Amino acid sequence: MEFGQVGQTKGLWSSDSTVFGVVHSYRHGNPREQKFSPKFNMETVAWSYDGAFICTSSGDKSCRIFEVATRRSTFTVVHEEWTRCSAFSHDGLRLCTGGDDSLCRIYDLTGSDLADPILVLEHSRSIRSVEFSPTDKFVLTASVDKKARIFQVVPDTPEEEEAKRQKVAAIFKEIEDRKKAAELAAQNPGKPCCHSCGTPYVNPLFCKQCGEKRVKKKVQVEEDPKLPLEPKPEWEGTGQIREFKHVDSLSEARFNSDATKMVTASGAVRYMGLATVYDVEFAVELMKIEHDGVVTSARFSPDEKTLVTSSEDKGARIWSLEDGLELRLWKHPNFVQTASFSHDGRFVCTACHDGNARIFDVRTRREMQCFRHPEMVTCASFSPDALQLLTSCGDAAARVWGAVG
C-alpha cells in the first residue's frame, strides 16, 4: 500500500532537531493566576480549520480560544466541572465543548452573548470527545457511559426533508421487492426465476415480467437481507438521531471526511481495547480491531484507506481498512494518548505520557522529531498546512511547535 499520496506538504519535518522548537505557548489566566494558582492539566487542544485559532480544554473547568499569531485569548467559558474536549465547526462560527458535567454545549461565536450556549446536549456521564460533521449539521460525541451519539444541531430544510423521505421510502420498497421475489421463487422450486422479481423465466434472454436481463444466479430466500429491515428514523429539528452502544467506556469518536462512517476508541483498564468502524446511515458495525490495552484515540487517514490508533499498550498503529491488517507499529516508552495524521497523510504525530510528542514519517517509518515537555503530553495535532504541531501538556500549557530558524 502506498502512503502519503493525498497531497504535498509545503514544508518538510526533517530529522534535524536544531531547526524546530516552540513557536508559541499558551496558558490559562492572567500572569498572577499563572504564577500562584494551582496548575491543572491541559486536557485537549484543537485547531480551527483555517489555522488562525486554537481552542483549549483544561482541568481548571474552562475552555478558551486563542489567536495563534498574537496569543491573545478571544473567548473564555467556565463550566461546573473539568472541561475534557472542544472543537471548532468547519466554518469557524461555532464551538462545541464537553466535560465531566455530562453536558455538550454549542456556542455561537458570532453572537452578542457568548457566555450562553445556543444548544445543550445532555449525557449520563463524562464526555471525552466532540466533533462537528463536515457540513456542521451534526455533532458526534463519545462518553464514559459507553455510548457514542450523533446529534443533529441544524434543522433540515424542506428540500432535505423531502429527499430524506424519498430515500427511506426507496429503501423500504427495495426490501419489500426482495421479499416478494424470494417468496415467489420459493413457490417454484427447481425452476429458474428472475433475481429481481422472482417470476419463473419464460424467455431465455430476459424476464417477461420486469424486463431484467436473465442471470444464472439462483434466487434464495433471505432470512437476513443485506439492507437493514428498519432504517433508523431521523428526528425533526434538532436532537439525538444515532446511538452506538459499547461494552466499555469510550475515549474518542471521529467521522470520516463525508460523515458516512465513524470510528470509536474504547476499552477498560487492564483489559483489551477496541477500535470500531461503523456505517453511520444504518448504524451497523463494519470492522472491529482489537488492542492489548485501552484504545485512547482512532482516526481515519485523509484517503480513508487506513486508520491510525493509539493505545495504553504503548503503541501507535496504522491499520488497513480493507482487511484490518496492521501496517505500521511505533512502540513508545509509556501510554500513547493520541495519534493523528497530517492533512496530507505523510506524517503521524503522537502524544505520549513519557512527556514527548513525536512525528513519524509514514512511508519510511522513521521518527522525524521528538519534542520534549515538562510533563505528560495529553494531545497532539498538526496544523491544517502540516507545518506546525499543537500540543497540550500536564504542566497546564499548550504549545505550537515548528521551524524556528
Side-chain angles (χ1 to χ4, degrees):
M1 177 176 289
E2 293 293 330
F3 289 97
Q5 302 300 316
V6 176
Q8 294 184 352
T9 310
K10 298 177 183 177
L12 182 66
W13 289 98
S14 70
S15 57
D16 186 354
S17 60
T18 64
V19 177
F20 302 95
V22 177
V23 179
H24 301 295
S25 63
Y26 310 85
R27 293 182 181 273
H28 288 194
N30 56 43
R32 181 178 177 81
E33 291 172 338
Q34 293 173 11
K35 184 175 181 179
F36 297 106
S37 297
K39 288 183 172 58
F40 295 91
N41 284 357
M42 191 73 74
E43 291 291 322
T44 58
V45 286
W47 293 90
S48 62
Y49 287 87
D50 61 2
F53 297 89
I54 64 168
C55 59
T56 61
S57 304
S58 172
D60 68 1
K61 305 179 183 180
S62 72
C63 173
R64 304 175 192 236
I65 295 177
F66 293 90
E67 189 174 9
V68 173
T70 64
R71 296 187 296 171
R72 182 174 59 92
S73 177
T74 61
F75 173 84
T76 300
V77 62
V78 180
H79 296 159
E80 296 179 0
E81 300 291 343
W82 277 33
T83 305
R84 297 283 183 176
C85 50
S86 56
F88 288 101
S89 61
H90 288 69
D91 59 14
L93 303 181
R94 287 175 290 169
L95 181 76
C96 184
T97 67
D100 287 352
D101 60 2
S102 307
L103 296 176
C104 173
R105 299 173 173 86
I106 298 177
Y107 297 88
D108 182 1
L109 300 180
T110 65
S112 56
D113 187 3
L114 300 181
D116 293 327
I118 58 174
L119 193 62
V120 178
L121 309 172
E122 295 185 1
H123 295 64
S124 59
R125 293 188 65 185
S126 175
I127 302 169
R128 293 308 170 97
S129 83
V130 293
E131 184 185 32
F132 282 95
S133 67
T135 61
D136 294 331
K137 190 173 182 177
F138 304 96
V139 165
L140 172 63
T141 66
S143 174
V144 177
D145 65 7
K146 306 178 183 180
K147 296 177 182 178
R149 298 171 174 87
I150 297 178
F151 296 87
Q152 182 168 338
V153 296
V154 177
D156 289 327
T157 64
E159 293 78 10
E160 289 172 333
E161 290 180 357
E162 180 60 28
K164 191 181 295 181
R165 282 193 290 268
Q166 292 179 3
K167 186 174 183 178
V168 172
I171 291 173
F172 276 117
K173 184 178 185 303
E174 182 174 349
I175 294 173
E176 191 63 30
D177 290 345
R178 288 172 59 184
K179 283 184 178 180
K180 290 180 180 179
E183 291 172 358
L184 187 57
Q187 296 172 6
N188 298 275
K191 295 182 180 180
C193 298
C194 176
H195 188 69
S196 296
C197 67
T199 304
Y201 282 121
V202 177
N203 190 292
L205 299 178
F206 58 89
C207 175
K208 186 176 180 180
Q209 180 69 23
C210 67
E212 286 289 325
K213 184 178 179 180
R214 181 168 179 170
V215 294
K216 294 182 179 180
K217 185 176 179 181
K218 185 178 179 181
V219 178
Q220 300 289 340
V221 179
E222 298 182 73
E223 297 180 359
D224 184 20
K226 300 295 187 298
L227 289 175
L229 293 176
E230 297 182 3
K232 301 294 183 181
E234 300 286 350
W235 285 24
E236 302 212 354
T238 59
Q240 180 179 314
I241 61 172
R242 295 286 186 276
E243 183 177 275
F244 303 83
K245 296 182 180 180
H246 294 67
V247 177
D248 298 310
S249 298
L250 269 69
S251 307
E252 188 174 80
R254 300 289 178 182
F255 283 120
N256 68 342
S257 62
D258 59 2
T260 57
K261 296 178 183 177
M262 57 170 274
V263 60
T264 62
S266 65
V269 178
R270 299 186 303 278
Y271 298 96
M272 74 172 188
L274 293 173
T276 311
V277 181
Y278 292 92
D279 179 287
V280 170
E281 184 174 7
F282 297 113
V284 294
E285 182 183 302
L286 301 177
M287 180 179 291
K288 185 178 291 184
I289 301 173
E290 295 184 359
H291 294 64
D292 291 332
V294 174
V295 181
T296 52
S297 72
R299 302 178 189 185
F300 292 98
S301 62
D303 61 7
E304 298 181 14
K305 294 180 180 179
T306 58
L307 190 74
V308 64
T309 63
S310 61
S311 173
E312 290 188 2
D313 65 6
K314 305 180 183 180
R317 297 171 174 85
I318 293 180
W319 307 84
S320 169
L321 286 175
E322 183 178 352
D323 49 24
L325 293 179
E326 181 183 301
L327 304 177
R328 296 285 188 274
L329 168 61
W330 292 285
K331 294 297 291 184
H332 292 64
N334 209 324
F335 294 166
V336 185
Q337 191 63 34
T338 64
S340 60
F341 284 100
S342 60
H343 293 264
D344 60 0
R346 294 179 61 188
F347 302 98
V348 162
C349 65
T350 62
C352 184
H353 280 206
D354 70 346
N356 289 303
R358 296 174 172 87
I359 296 177
F360 298 94
D361 186 298
V362 173
R363 186 178 61 84
T364 65
R365 311 187 189 200
R366 289 180 57 196
E367 180 181 306
M368 306 305 293
Q369 286 292 325
C370 180
F371 298 124
R372 182 66 186 169
H373 294 67
E375 297 184 29
M376 67 177 183
V377 185
T378 56
C379 184
S381 63
F382 287 103
S383 60
D385 60 7
L387 296 179
Q388 294 179 319
L389 185 73
L390 175 63
T391 64
S392 58
C393 181
D395 70 344
R399 297 172 174 86
V400 171
W401 304 78
V404 294

